[in-house]
């Protein structure tokens, strides 16, 4: 997933991307936050995915989102 693809996907699912501030020599981390809506009696879920790059955090979030979305689709 490229940077453009990552940002496009995040916009499509109304997600957010954050970058931590480096306080030491450690590299900064990226955090992708995405909400998965609920269905019926099931409550929505919040995905918080970490990565060393924006793309990595987004890929992890997208994988989790796809899994949850597939589970929701089975309920319909």
């Amino acid at each position: 997933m490229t940077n453009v693809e990552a940002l496009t996907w995040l916009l499509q699912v109304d997600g957010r991307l954050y970058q931590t501030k480096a306080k030491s020599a450690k590299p900064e981390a990226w955090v992708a936050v995405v909400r998965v809506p609920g269905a019926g009696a099931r409550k929505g879920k919040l995905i918080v995915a970490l990565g060393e790059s924006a793309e990595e955090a987004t890929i992890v979030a997208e994988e989790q989102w796809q899994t949850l979305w597939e589970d929701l689709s089975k309920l319909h």
Side-chain angles (χ1 to χ4, degrees), residues 22-28:
K23 293 183 181 179
S24 63
K26 291 183 180 179
E28 297 175 345

Side-chain angles (χ1 to χ4, degrees), residues 24-73:
S24 63
K26 291 183 180 179
E28 297 175 345
W30 288 85
V31 181
V33 179
V34 181
R35 183 181 150 314
V36 180
R42 292 184 71 175
K43 294 183 179 181
K45 298 193 183 249
L46 186 65
I47 296 170
V48 178
L50 305 174
E52 292 183 13
S53 68
E55 294 84 3
E56 184 178 325
T58 304
I59 288 168
V60 172
E62 196 262 343
E63 288 171 351
Q64 292 178 37
W65 190 89
Q66 290 294 343
T67 299
L68 291 170
W69 193 251
E70 287 173 16
D71 289 344
L72 282 175
S73 298

